[in-house]
Amino acid sequence: MRHPKPHQLVLRAATGASILNSGLDKRGADEDTAMGLHGTAVGTYPFLDRVDPVTFARLLSAGEIALGTALLLPLVPNRLAGAGLTAFAAGLLGMYLRTPGMHRPRSLAPTPDGVPLSKDLWLLGAGLSLVLEDCRKD
């Protein structure tokens, strides 16, 4: 197993702390918050309509806590942590691309409302960087 290099640790700490914090903030979400999170997700991924909003919020919180923790723990290989981050970011970018009003017509450029979601492209880049760099032969 390769140990993360200093620049990888910085990337993992920045993304991991942010995602962990987001998951902790969602822990114990009230019903209104759960319904809001669920409604946003269902608008992009209709199959999630079959999941109860409170259960969805709990699962989202647990997933973010697990991913954030994996990124923060150097014992978790870069390839595994990066794959998790890539998958998570891809789901968030799906929301950006599929939600009306998030980007300009016939463009990927964000509208003012879309800026918070468009930044998830950085998470995708971070995840792919961890995976691809770990695949390199030194």
Side-chain angles (χ1 to χ4, degrees):
M1 177 178 95
R2 292 184 199 180
H3 296 288
K5 297 175 183 168
H7 68 277
Q8 295 166 328
L9 289 173
V10 171
L11 184 72
R12 289 178 64 159
T15 57
S18 177
I19 293 168
L20 176 61
N21 183 64
S22 179
L24 292 172
D25 283 348
K26 289 177 182 79
R27 193 176 47 179
D30 62 32
E31 193 168 334
D32 286 341
T33 301
M35 288 176 62
L37 291 168
H38 184 254
T40 300
V42 167
T44 302
Y45 302 109
F47 69 89
L48 291 173
D49 193 33
R50 297 186 296 252
V51 180
D52 171 70
V54 173
T55 301
F56 174 79
R58 277 193 214 129
L59 291 171
L60 180 59
S61 171
E64 288 181 343
I65 290 169
L67 177 58
T69 301
L71 286 159
L72 290 169
L73 290 176
L75 296 175
V76 176
N78 280 332
R79 191 176 302 178
L80 181 60
L85 181 56
T86 299
F88 180 68
L92 294 172
L93 283 171
M95 290 177 52
Y96 171 72
L97 294 172
R98 295 179 179 173
T99 302
M102 294 294 115
H103 55 86
R104 296 181 187 145
R106 296 177 302 283
S107 172
L108 293 178
T111 62
D113 289 342
V115 170
L117 286 177
S118 70
K119 58 103 179 112
D120 294 326
L121 183 59
W122 300 343
L123 292 178
L124 182 66
L128 289 171
S129 292
L130 289 170
V131 170
L132 293 173
E133 185 170 2
D134 204 45
C135 291
R136 280 188 7 194
K137 301 233 187 265
D138 289 326

